[in-house]
Amino acid sequence: MTHVGVGMRNDQCEWDKFDSNWYFNHNYASVRDDDRQILAQMSQFFADHLKDTRSQHGVDVGSGTNLYPALTMLPFCQSITLWERSAANIAWLHREIKSFRPSWDAFWRQLSRLGRSRGAAGNARKRLAASAMVCRGNIFELPVQHWDLGTMFFVAESITSDYAEFKRATRHFVQSLKAGAPFAAAFMEKSEGYLVGSYRYPAVPVTIDDIHECLSDLVDTDFSVVPIKSEHPLREGYSGTMLLALGVAK
């Protein structure tokens, strides 16, 4: 273990050395039961709030090596910005969106089976290659009121051990969306940090109440935080529950 993530702020972490392949293989090589639950909740929420016009401009903040938030937005989007800080993850994303690996087909089939969006059909590989763009950027430098819908998965609570910094990151994400824009954000409940290869990254041990407190003044009345529980937790060091926030930006 090269570093201990306890007491580390975002700018103290070695993000450019993030082991992208290790992280993908340990987290997204196959569809888990909690992934299925999240895909169902998120796709239904977007279908309820958006038309299948493919005219929206979406953003996925802190994409890392996770393409399924972008795939969930794909039926509605003309363009999707993958906003990422780590040089290693940026290189991984550039390679992946050109023609994503076969394991992502299982995620797309799951979305297609849900049948909640006419747009969840066709060649997702070509569509993502044509619509996705990778942008190197810090979450704290997001433009304000810029996108029509957005996602942020396991980012704000997983880049720092400082609660104030977590809160600022989460608010920056929602503030980057236009008024009326639907969003989905996922958090690891009560995370104590996590290993990527031999490097330990920090986390803030957030709860449902923390997320409500953080966003209550930035969201419309249609806002909920859904506990996503799995019989087989992804890793050690969190409660075993993921928290999925679904809302509409004011």
Side-chain angles (χ1 to χ4, degrees):
M1 186 183 302
T2 16
H3 281 71
V4 176
V6 177
M8 293 178 68
R9 292 175 58 83
N10 179 55
D11 59 5
Q12 296 174 309
C13 299
E14 295 186 13
W15 298 112
D16 288 345
K17 296 181 180 179
F18 196 90
D19 191 335
S20 306
N21 289 322
W22 189 99
Y23 195 77
F24 168 80
N25 288 328
H26 282 74
N27 293 276
Y28 302 115
S30 61
V31 185
R32 292 168 42 83
D33 63 322
D34 38 22
D35 295 326
R36 292 187 184 92
Q37 295 177 63
I38 289 172
L39 288 168
Q41 293 276 350
M42 180 166 49
S43 63
Q44 180 67 71
F45 187 77
F46 285 159
D48 288 345
H49 290 83
L50 296 165
K51 296 180 180 179
D52 298 325
T53 60
R54 302 190 193 177
S55 63
Q56 310 296 314
H57 298 280
V59 64
D60 180 45
V61 175
S63 302
T65 61
N66 183 5
L67 290 189
Y68 80 67
L71 290 174
T72 308
M73 290 190 285
L74 191 59
F76 311 99
C77 284
Q78 175 182 335
S79 71
I80 300 173
T81 300
L82 306 178
W83 190 275
E84 173 61 43
R85 175 175 180 173
S86 163
N89 285 339
I90 287 168
W92 188 95
L93 287 166
H94 276 299
R95 292 191 300 268
E96 198 71 10
I97 63 174
K98 288 179 181 178
S99 181
F100 59 69
R101 67 192 71 197
S103 57
W104 293 112
D105 291 328
F107 290 84
W108 185 250
R109 284 194 298 270
Q110 181 71 20
L111 287 166
S112 299
R113 279 196 295 268
L114 292 168
R116 290 171 184 144
S117 169
R118 294 186 301 277
N123 192 319
R125 194 169 275 99
K126 289 183 179 179
R127 287 172 57 185
L128 189 68
S131 62
M133 60 190 79
V134 183
C135 180
R136 183 167 194 178
N138 192 312
I139 193 171
F140 302 113
E141 298 169 352
L142 287 163
V144 176
Q145 296 185 359
H146 191 76
W147 286 285
D148 302 309
L149 73 161
T151 53
M152 180 184 69
F153 271 56
F154 315 117
V155 178
E157 85 287 15
S158 301
I159 59 173
T160 181
S161 61
D162 184 278
Y163 180 82
E165 200 167 43
F166 149 76
K167 182 175 180 179
R168 188 159 62 95
T170 305
R171 291 175 66 83
H172 271 267
F173 162 64
V174 175
Q175 289 169 332
S176 74
L177 305 174
K178 297 176 183 177
F183 68 85
F187 307 85
M188 304 294 281
E189 184 185 57
K190 299 180 181 178
S191 177
E192 299 171 353
Y194 56 103
L195 280 173
V196 179
S198 61
Y199 192 99
R200 185 166 183 83
Y201 287 92
V204 173
V206 298
T207 65
I208 287 180
D209 289 342
D210 292 325
I211 298 167
H212 277 283
E213 187 272 335
C214 183
L215 294 179
S216 60
D217 62 322
L218 297 181
V219 295
D220 209 339
T221 53
D222 187 7
F223 178 66
S224 61
V225 183
V226 183
I228 305 292
K229 298 183 180 182
S230 172
E231 295 181 3
H232 307 285
L234 179 63
R235 59 171 173 79
E236 296 181 352
Y238 77 112
S239 71
T241 296
M242 300 175 184
L243 303 175
L244 179 64
L246 300 168
V248 176
K250 278 187 178 178

